[in-house]
Amino acid sequence: MKRIIYADNAATTRLDPEALDAMIPYLKDSYGNASQPYSFSREPRNALKLSRERIAECIGAMPEEIIFTSGGTESDNWAIKGLNSKTNSLTVITSCVEHHAVLNACKDIENRANIKILPVNEYGEVSCESLKKVLCELDTTASPVLVSVMMANNEIGTIQPIKDLSRVAHEYGAYFHTDAVQALGHIGVDVNDLDVDMLSASAHKFNGPKGIGFLYVKSGTPLLPFINGGSQERGMRSGTENIASIVGMSIALSKNVEYLEANTKKIEFLEKSLLRQLRESGLDFVRNGSNNRIPGNISLSFNECDGEMILHRMDLKGICISTGSACDSVNTQVSHVIKAIGLTNSYAEGTIRISLGKNNEPEEVDVIADELIKILS
Ligand code: PLP
């Protein structure tokens, strides 16, 4: 098989081998339905309980505040659409650089909700002042107001001031949700310190399996059930639990949290090496995002280049990178995030995203730099 250098860890990550090992018993022998009362289902039921506790511990939550979902998209949709409103009206304030799981969920409820979109600065940061400006014009006692701002951006890696934004939202009586899909397992996340009401997560972004995630819902948050059926997840999100994936997610997350410091150190070393080689080559590029970024997220815009062309030429060399978010890969237009940070067209069109992870090695980074320099010179 052709050698592959995988440098698209913001799109998805390789399943952690320990997570895979932990999943196998629930796919093979211990396949009982966790809701059944007989003893054969005791093991999967215990695994479900333990996994919930393990995940809760990683983010400082209580186990009953973790609700398993099919991933980030579902968690985001639920958070955006699910607040209980006695008056049947809802206001959602979000930012212009959110993932489409948030932006399109907002679009979907446009006819029954008041949607407000916050701007960002050139680094992709949302400010407390812009949030205050919107909130002070709303009556948060008349109908619920939800503020949803992502913890870290999937395209440019910018980490948002979630603690401050959440404090402002609460000062005005609004609820606060954060899409932590890119952040969890890559930076420290403590829901008590951040004081968020809801938080979305997706296992495949932190070396867990695909198609599984969770929504943290702080106890007391008036969230309506999202999927009706057999009353699993305390009636909030029905459907037979995907035990193997839940177990795999919990192991992957606890491992990433345990080795966070070591992983970050390694990834930052790789990142510096790549950037140094590119800078020394004399290529004309800018790096996007703020200085407070997710480790390994390297969004670069090359002057007078075509990001799509770079992606395909790198692909021919067996190197996987992205031009923007994974979900945008069929869309050749400049992404909404790159537009929002105001890059001039000559740079914007030459944007690529390299996202390094804990499994990348220095030799791979050297090849990436080498090939990029060859393509662009
Ligand atoms: N939110 C962000 C910030 C993401 O990067 C992604 C995936 O790229 C999602 C949500 C969607 O997550 P999932 O792939 O688990 O549906």
Side-chain angles (χ1 to χ4, degrees):
M1 204 171 101
K2 186 169 138 187
R3 178 197 61 180
I4 292 293
I5 294 180
Y6 187 76
D8 198 18
N9 289 277
T12 195
T13 54
R14 179 195 278 262
L15 182 61
D16 187 286
E18 274 181 48
L20 174 62
D21 287 347
M23 291 169 70
I24 288 171
Y26 303 97
L27 294 167
K28 280 175 76 181
D29 303 319
S30 198
Y31 55 84
N33 185 324
S35 299
Q36 292 300 86
Y38 38 71
S39 49
F40 180 58
S41 284
R42 196 174 298 141
E43 208 176 305
R45 195 160 47 249
N46 280 343
L48 182 63
K49 181 172 177 286
L50 266 175
S51 301
R52 202 186 302 278
E53 288 168 357
R54 204 178 278 131
I55 288 170
E57 202 186 327
C58 288
I59 63 165
M62 290 187 289
E64 60 272 22
E65 294 174 318
I66 305 295
I67 310 179
F68 296 120
T69 65
S70 66
T73 302
E74 182 184 327
S75 298
D76 284 345
N77 269 266
W78 189 2
I80 297 295
K81 298 175 183 177
L83 272 190
N84 191 3
S85 166
K86 291 190 182 80
T87 55
N88 239 350
S89 69
L90 171 69
T91 298
V92 181
I93 305 170
T94 191
S95 86
C96 61
V97 292
E98 299 297 308
H99 190 270
H100 283 122
V102 166
L103 292 176
N104 287 342
C106 288
K107 221 176 210 168
D108 190 43
I109 56 168
E110 244 168 12
N111 56 359
R112 61 182 169 94
N114 181 19
I115 309 291
K116 306 268 185 190
I117 308 282
L118 301 172
V120 292
N121 65 13
E122 66 198 289
Y123 308 109
E125 294 161 332
V126 177
S127 75
C128 289
E129 287 63 40
S130 69
L131 176 58
K132 269 185 203 163
K133 221 164 120 190
V134 175
L135 279 167
C136 71
E137 285 168 3
L138 296 170
D139 178 4
T140 54
T141 56
S143 62
V145 175
L146 176 77
V147 179
S148 179
V149 178
M150 70 202 318
M151 196 170 292
N153 187 270
N154 45 304
E155 292 190 38
I156 58 174
T158 297
I159 297 172
Q160 300 291 354
I162 295 302
K163 194 172 167 173
D164 297 337
L165 292 166
S166 167
R167 195 190 58 243
V168 170
H170 290 151
E171 273 167 19
Y172 286 85
Y175 294 96
F176 194 90
H177 163 252
T178 187
D179 172 342
V181 166
Q182 290 290 331
L184 191 60
H186 304 284
I187 56 170
V189 172
D190 182 320
V191 290
N192 297 308
D193 180 48
L194 296 169
D195 196 21
V196 294
D197 300 300
M198 292 184 277
L199 177 145
S200 300
S202 176
H204 75 103
K205 307 287 187 180
F206 52 76
N207 306 94
K210 292 172 183 53
I212 190 78
F214 66 88
L215 182 67
Y216 157 79
V217 185
K218 186 178 178 174
S219 70
T221 308
L223 190 71
L224 293 167
F226 197 51
I227 298 181
N228 307 113
S231 294
Q232 290 89 350
E233 299 298 282
R234 291 181 296 114
M236 294 296 282
R237 199 277 187 187
S238 293
T240 302
E241 301 89 344
N242 183 347
I243 305 295
S245 294
I246 290 169
V247 169
M249 168 164 69
S250 75
I251 298 291
L253 181 59
S254 56
K255 260 195 84 180
N256 269 24
V257 168
E258 185 182 349
Y259 294 103
L260 192 68
E261 223 180 290
N263 289 342
T264 303
K265 226 170 157 178
K266 178 184 177 188
I267 295 166
E268 283 178 352
F269 170 79
L270 298 176
E271 193 178 305
K272 277 197 186 118
S273 161
L274 177 62
L275 287 166
R276 182 181 41 74
Q277 294 182 61
L278 294 180
R279 288 204 177 103
E280 282 174 5
S281 75
L283 290 172
D284 181 3
F285 68 91
V286 292
R287 183 176 186 190
N288 303 309
S290 73
N291 282 333
N292 187 20
R293 287 190 198 86
I294 287 294
N297 182 306
I298 307 168
S299 168
L300 306 173
S301 296
F302 293 91
N303 193 18
E304 303 286 348
C305 289
D306 175 2
E308 286 288 314
M309 180 278 290
I310 303 172
L311 181 147
H312 292 300
R313 298 274 296 271
M314 292 291 270
D315 185 31
L316 289 175
K317 300 289 176 188
I319 301 168
C320 307
I321 60 164
S322 169
T323 51
S325 71
C327 321
D328 268 354
S329 61
V330 286
N331 191 345
T332 54
Q333 285 175 358
V334 170
S335 84
H336 66 293
V337 176
I338 298 300
K339 271 190 193 144
I341 60 173
L343 275 189
T344 57
N345 263 1
S346 70
Y347 281 95
E349 284 163 9
T351 302
I352 59 165
R353 179 190 67 188
I354 300 166
S355 45
L356 303 173
K358 65 178 185 178
N359 296 319
N360 286 116
E361 297 302 336
E363 310 78 70
E364 294 183 316
V365 162
D366 293 346
V367 177
I368 295 171
D370 248 29
E371 294 298 346
L372 255 183
I373 294 165
K374 270 192 231 156
I375 291 168
L376 290 164
S377 313

